[in-house]
């Protein structure tokens, strides 16, 4: 609280000519000083801040000097002794008063109120302290333990009631300028803790049946603030399966507070977009800031049924009517067609008629009510021998009018045999393995005429006629007589000779009968199930550190069981272990289609045995024999002291080094590569020089370097993530993909220009099946990588490792290099380099891995 001192002459500024000597702060009583000031000085002065009063704060010498030198203050001369002046100076400097706080809820905090403490222009205040009692707390402000001369500071106080009702306390201020601490009365009124409440007079709105596209009348829900604090609506929204069918309105709105006890409305209308049950909900969320931000929510369930606009519909009990064979000039018995009104309005017909040698009568009259039915009777009167066709047309007020029914029959002369098949269409034998017997299909041949028929041969025709046979169990035979109304059985067998669809027909010959339409025969030949062996590596190189052995995964990528008869080694320096997790077991063993198992190869020169191993390189060949094609598969094995090269080298790339120290060959060559490329760019004035620089760089990078340690098959990759283009980490195994293909590349890598289009195709082809591809760039310059990507776009995930840390930890030794990770993040395969002939094998490995459960 600032203080002022005004002169008795309005508008006049009093200048103090006498010099004021700073004196130490006096111990005084500001409470007594307030009394003296109000009794003697208040008639002419207030405590509003002026330059003169500022000099008198905690400065009794200044006040005495003013009394002595200002004529207007002569009336008070002799009325104050030194103690009185000290008390008044303390009052002016500390402004004791009272503070009253706004109503505050129990458990909440009021806003901060401040008290200002000022020091005189010539003396500082020290040992300043402020304490509060009751439900009041010193909080905020900027006072320390001292107030420099001519400055002021503030003490903050907040009201934190612990019980309802009037609450009182005091703020006590003390410092070395006063003898009596200054009590400032504090008061406030506390309200009981506020509660938030919101109620609705309904929580469901059922709109019943409504015509599609037509809005309903609005329905209303009234919301009431039942709590003790005003509510602010945070959101009022419609959600759910058919949210678009319901529109919200009403007076409740975000940004419009709801006072205690007040009400507002939420309205909804229903406009169904489709027929059937429709549902959604309205969620109302509000908070009460005065109640500590307490939240209240109301949910309103919305429901209704969409009904199509009234319209008739036509449903027919059949779309074809077949009358068989009838004697020319005679009328067959009627066949009945039932017509159903499938709509919700009356169905009326303007015409019902048949064409050809067919006639129709009906009971449909002028109209059929919704869900009602009527019948149409159709007869056949052939006018000539042979096949006859016609159409029954029903013209109505329904959509799709006219509806039609195909009519068919056959005319025969009197005293003529008529042969008919049942079933008349033929048969499908399904899929049968080539060379196997697909079983028999039976057909009944009947004489529906009025004279006996003499059967001739049964002839198979068509591209695959030789795949079918008339079985000896048939009772239909050439030369047999089929009396009027009699029938016989024809049994047809199927044994496909080649893979694929095998169509044919079969018919009977007769010189004295009307012949039926030939039977249509169909079936598909399928090749016998074939196993296919896929190995995770074609070669394994061992070093002394490979004491645990190197895993080899066997995958059956075919569609038949794979039987491995034997696993054989040519020498004694290597051994095969078929046990362990997912082990194949001792040969012979079987691998199901799309399944895999694992064996472990060990070199006797690794681990503890290395000390006694003969010098030089051990080589051997693992030979696998089974019923795959070809029947044998081999894996080249080699072991050399200090060698731990990566397996399954694909070629088509440049070999690079890997190290662990500051002189890492990979990093040094990458840095050299970058320098050469930059030299080529700066020095080159045409495309030819730029290409020469890249050629030199690539040649240097492809120089012989120390072999790199590869990530072991069956083990985790050892690198969790690599930074992406924006610096955020790109996980190499995200835990979601079924299969992850990680490719390491650089802009100077020629084969990378072949591998990127292939990776783009693989991502597009198998991404939906769970394949994820991450391409890790090893260029020291991001500009080089971006230039490459502008020429060879990528549709796979990209990451950037300019220091080569990832390459060193994974053991990259060629560009490009790749690893295939399973769903658990373990390495399934490594591959170095890239050639066009690698594409099919790599894709087959991906397909097989995706099929593995």
């Amino acid at each position: 609280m600032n203080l002022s001192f005004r002169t008795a002459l309005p508008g006049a500024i009093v200048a103090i000519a006498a010099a004021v000597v700073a004196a130490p702060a006096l111990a005084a009583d500001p409470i007594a000083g307030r009394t003296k000031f109000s009794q003697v000085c208040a008639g002419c002065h207030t405590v509003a801040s002026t330059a003169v009063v500022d000099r008198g704060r905690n400065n009794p010498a200044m006040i005495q000097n003013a009394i002595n030198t200002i004529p207007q203050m002569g009336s008070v001369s002799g009325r104050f002794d030194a103690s009185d002046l000290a008390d008044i100076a303390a009052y002016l400097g500390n402004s004791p008063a009272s503070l009253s706080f706004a109503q505050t809820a129990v458990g909440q905090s009021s806003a901060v109120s401040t008290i200002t403490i000022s020091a005189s222009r010539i003396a500082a205040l020290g040992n300043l302290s402020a304490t509060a009692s009751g439900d009041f707390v010193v909080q905020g402000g900027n006072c320390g333990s001292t107030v420099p001369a001519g400055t002021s500071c503030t003490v903050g106080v907040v009201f934190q009631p612990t019980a309802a009702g009037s609450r009182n306390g005091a703020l006590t201020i003390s410092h070395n300028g006063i003898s009596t601490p200054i009590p400032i009365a504090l008061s406030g009124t506390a309200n009981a803790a506020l509660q938030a409440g919101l109620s609705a007079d309904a929580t469901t709105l059922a709109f019943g049946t409504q015509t599609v596209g037509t809005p309903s009348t609005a329905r209303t829900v009234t919301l009431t603030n039942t709590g003790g604090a005003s509510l602010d609506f945070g959101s009022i929204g419609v959600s759910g399966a058919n949210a678009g069918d319901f529109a919200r309105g009403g007076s409740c709105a975000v940004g419009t507070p709801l006072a205690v006890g007040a009400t507002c409305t939420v309205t909804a209308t229903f406009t169904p977009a489709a027929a059937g049950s429709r549902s959604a909900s309205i969620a109302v969320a509000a908070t009460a800031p005065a109640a500590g931000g307490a939240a209240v929510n109301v949910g309103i369930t919305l429901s209704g049924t969409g009904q199509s606009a009234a319209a008739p519909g036509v449903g027919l009990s059949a779309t074809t009517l077949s009358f068989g064979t009838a004697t020319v000039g005679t009328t067959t018995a009627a066949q009945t067609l039932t017509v159903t009104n499938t709509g919700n309005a009356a169905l009326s017909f303007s015409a019902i008629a048949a064409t050809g040698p067919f006639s129709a009568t009906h009971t449909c009259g002028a109209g059929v009510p919704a869900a009602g039915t009527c019948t149409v009777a159709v007869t056949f009167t052939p006018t000539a021998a042979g096949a006859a066709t016609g159409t029954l047309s029903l013209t109505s007020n329904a959509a799709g009018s006219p509806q039609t029914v195909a009519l068919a029959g056959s005319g025969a002369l009197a005293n003529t045999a008529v042969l008919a098949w049942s079933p008349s269409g033929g048969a499908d034998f399904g899929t049968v393995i080539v060379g196997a017997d697909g079983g028999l299909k039976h057909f009944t041949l009947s004489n529906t005429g009025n004279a006996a028929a003499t059967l001739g041969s049964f002839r198979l025709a068509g591209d695959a006629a030789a795949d079918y046979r008339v079985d000896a169990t048939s009772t239909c035979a050439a030369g047999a007589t089929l009396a009027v109304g009699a029938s016989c059985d024809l049994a047809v067998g199927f044994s496909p000779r080649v893979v694929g669809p095998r169509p044919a027909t079969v018919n009977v010959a007769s010189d004295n009968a009307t012949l039926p339409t030939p039977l249509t025969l169909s079936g598909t030949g399928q090749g016998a199930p074939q196993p296919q062996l896929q190995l995770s590596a074609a070669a394994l190189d061992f070093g002394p550190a490979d004491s645990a052995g190197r895993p080899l995964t066997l995958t059956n990528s075919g569609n038949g069981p794979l039987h491995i008869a034997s696993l054989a080694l040519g020498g004694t320096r290597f051994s095969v272990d078929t046990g362990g997790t997912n082990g194949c077991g001792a040969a012979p063993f079987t691998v199901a289609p799309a399944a895999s198992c694992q064996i472990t190869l060990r070199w006797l020169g690794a681990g503890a045995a290395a000390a006694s191993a003969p010098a030089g390189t051990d080589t051997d060949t693992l030979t696998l024999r089974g019923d795959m094609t070809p029947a044998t598969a081999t894996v080249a094995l080699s072991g050399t002291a200090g060698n731990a090269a990566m397996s399954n080298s694909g070629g088509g790339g440049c070999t690079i080094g890997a190290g662990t120290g500051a002189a890492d060959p990979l990093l040094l060559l990458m840095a050299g590569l970058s320098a050469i490329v930059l030299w080529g760019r700066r020095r080159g004035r045409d495309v030819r020089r730029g290409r020469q620089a890249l050629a030199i760089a690539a040649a240097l990078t492809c120089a012989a370097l120390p072999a790199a340690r590869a990530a072991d098959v069956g083990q985790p990759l050892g690198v969790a993530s690599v930074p992406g283009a924006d610096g955020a980490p790109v996980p190499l195994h995200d835990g979601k993909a079924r299969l992850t293909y990680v490719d390491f590349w650089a802009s100077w890598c020629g084969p990378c220009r072949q591998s990127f289009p292939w990776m783009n195709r693989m991502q597009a082809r198998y991404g939906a099946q769970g394949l994820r591809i991450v391409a890790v760039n090893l260029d020291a310059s991001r500009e080089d990588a971006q230039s490459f990507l502008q020429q060879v776009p990528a549709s796979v995930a990209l990451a950037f490792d300019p220091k080569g840390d990832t390459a060193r930890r994974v053991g990259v030794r060629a560009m490009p290099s790749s690893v295939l990770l399973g769903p658990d993040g373990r390495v399934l395969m490594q591959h170095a380099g890239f050639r066009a002939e690698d594409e099919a094998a790599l894709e087959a490995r991906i397909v097989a891995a995706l099929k593995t459960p």
Side-chain angles (χ1 to χ4, degrees), residues 410-834:
S410 180
L413 299 175
N415 299 319
T416 299
V418 178
L419 299 179
W421 290 113
S422 178
S424 59
D428 182 7
F429 286 81
T431 300
V432 179
I433 294 175
V434 172
D437 190 346
L440 300 176
K441 299 289 186 182
H442 293 270
F443 305 92
T444 299
L445 181 64
S446 302
N447 184 356
T448 62
N450 49 22
T454 301
L455 303 181
S457 63
F458 293 87
R459 188 171 67 90
L460 290 163
D463 294 341
D467 290 13
Y468 297 87
R469 70 182 186 280
V470 175
D471 195 74
T473 59
S474 301
T475 59
C476 295
T481 298
L482 202 59
V484 174
S487 62
C488 63
D489 175 70
L490 182 72
V492 180
F494 174 52
S495 181
R497 299 186 178 190
V498 296
V499 174
R502 311 301 293 158
T505 60
V506 62
N507 199 10
V508 59
S510 176
D511 294 332
N512 64 343
T514 300
L515 301 180
T517 301
L519 296 170
T520 299
L521 306 177
S522 63
T524 302
Q526 175 179 287
Q530 294 293 326
Q532 183 64 46
L533 176 62
Q534 179 77 39
L535 297 174
S536 62
L540 294 176
D541 296 334
F542 295 79
D546 290 320
S547 58
R550 301 292 295 274
L552 180 70
T553 301
L554 286 64
T555 301
N556 182 358
S557 58
N559 59 359
L562 170 63
H563 304 287
I564 299 298
S566 65
L567 302 171
L569 291 168
T572 60
R573 296 293 295 164
F574 294 87
S575 64
V576 179
D577 182 358
T578 59
T581 303
N582 197 35
C584 296
F589 56 85
T590 299
V591 184
S596 62
C597 65
Q598 182 174 286
I599 63 176
T600 301
L601 281 301
R602 292 187 172 88
W603 176 44
L604 300 186
S612 59
T617 300
D618 289 330
T619 61
D620 203 342
T621 299
L622 171 68
T623 302
L624 302 91
R625 292 181 174 83
D627 58 357
M628 63 279 185
T629 302
T632 61
T634 60
V635 178
L637 307 177
S638 64
T640 305
N643 181 43
M646 185 160 52
S647 66
N648 194 24
S649 176
C654 299
T655 302
I656 61 177
T660 57
D664 183 350
L666 172 61
L667 297 181
L668 293 176
L669 282 177
M670 292 293 280
L673 171 63
S674 299
I676 292 171
V677 172
L678 291 175
W679 171 83
R681 288 177 175 170
R682 293 174 181 171
R683 299 276 297 174
R685 298 297 181 183
D686 53 29
V687 176
R688 182 178 59 82
R689 277 189 190 173
R691 290 177 177 171
Q692 289 174 348
L694 289 174
I696 295 171
L700 289 176
T701 309
C702 293
L705 295 170
R709 173 73 184 185
D712 287 335
V713 172
Q715 300 299 318
L717 187 60
V719 179
S721 64
V722 181
D726 59 356
V730 175
L732 299 187
H733 173 250
D734 62 3
K736 301 176 182 178
R738 293 183 57 196
L739 201 64
T740 305
Y741 185 91
V742 181
D743 181 78
F744 297 90
W745 66 281
S747 62
W748 44 264
C749 166
C752 295
R753 296 180 179 272
Q754 295 177 282
S755 63
F756 261 79
W758 176 81
M759 289 191 295
N760 291 341
R761 293 196 301 272
M762 295 301 99
Q763 185 66 72
R765 189 173 299 167
Y766 301 110
Q769 300 179 34
L771 174 65
R772 175 174 175 263
I773 298 179
V774 181
V776 181
N777 175 259
L778 302 178
D779 280 301
S781 168
R782 179 70 65 84
E783 179 183 353
D784 294 339
Q786 295 299 339
S787 177
F788 175 93
L789 293 171
Q790 289 178 357
Q791 301 174 40
V792 187
S795 56
V796 302
L798 295 172
F800 298 88
D801 181 16
K803 295 183 179 180
D805 294 337
T806 306
R808 181 168 54 252
R809 293 169 63 187
V810 173
V812 173
R813 64 183 180 89
M815 285 292 173
S817 283
S818 56
V819 292
L820 191 63
L821 307 179
D824 58 356
R826 295 181 181 274
V827 177
L828 300 178
M829 179 200 76
Q830 314 101 9
H831 188 80
F834 192 89

Side-chain angles (χ1 to χ4, degrees), residues 232-237 254 283-286:
D232 290 339
F233 291 108
S235 63
I236 306 174
V254 175
V284 181

Side-chain angles (χ1 to χ4, degrees), residues 114-371:
T114 59
I115 298 295
T116 300
I117 299 175
S118 302
S120 72
R121 293 179 181 274
I122 60 174
L125 298 179
N127 299 325
L128 175 63
S129 67
T131 59
S133 63
D135 289 351
F136 303 88
V137 177
V138 174
Q139 182 175 301
N142 59 6
C143 284
S145 60
T146 62
V147 183
T151 66
S152 63
C153 66
T154 59
V155 175
V157 185
V158 296
F159 180 32
Q160 295 179 344
T162 58
S166 296
R167 311 296 290 172
N168 298 296
L171 172 66
T172 302
I173 298 174
S174 63
H175 54 72
N176 66 351
I178 56 177
S179 60
T180 302
I182 304 168
I184 299 176
L186 305 176
S187 65
T189 301
N191 298 325
L194 299 179
Q195 300 293 326
L198 182 64
S199 67
D201 63 353
T203 57
T204 60
L205 291 179
F207 290 85
T209 300
Q210 187 71 21
T211 301
V212 172
T214 303
S216 69
T217 57
R219 296 180 179 270
T220 302
V221 173
T222 300
L223 303 182
T224 302
N225 183 345
T226 58
S230 178
L231 294 176
D232 290 339
F233 291 108
S235 63
I236 306 174
V238 181
S239 62
N242 309 116
D245 289 13
F246 299 88
R248 179 188 64 81
S251 61
C252 298
V254 175
T256 302
L258 187 62
V260 175
T263 62
C264 64
T265 60
V266 174
T267 63
T269 56
F270 174 43
T271 306
S277 178
R278 317 292 286 177
S279 64
S281 63
I282 297 177
V284 181
T287 58
V296 288
N297 302 298
V298 169
I300 304 170
T301 300
L302 309 176
S303 65
T305 301
Q307 175 179 279
S308 300
V314 175
L316 303 176
S317 60
T319 57
T320 61
L321 293 177
S322 180
F323 290 85
T325 302
T327 302
V328 172
T330 64
T331 300
T332 65
Q335 293 197 37
T336 300
L337 178 75
T338 300
V339 181
T340 302
N341 182 353
T342 58
N344 53 7
L347 171 66
S348 61
F349 293 94
S350 58
I352 298 177
T355 63
F358 300 91
S359 300
T361 59
H362 61 86
T363 63
C364 299
V368 180

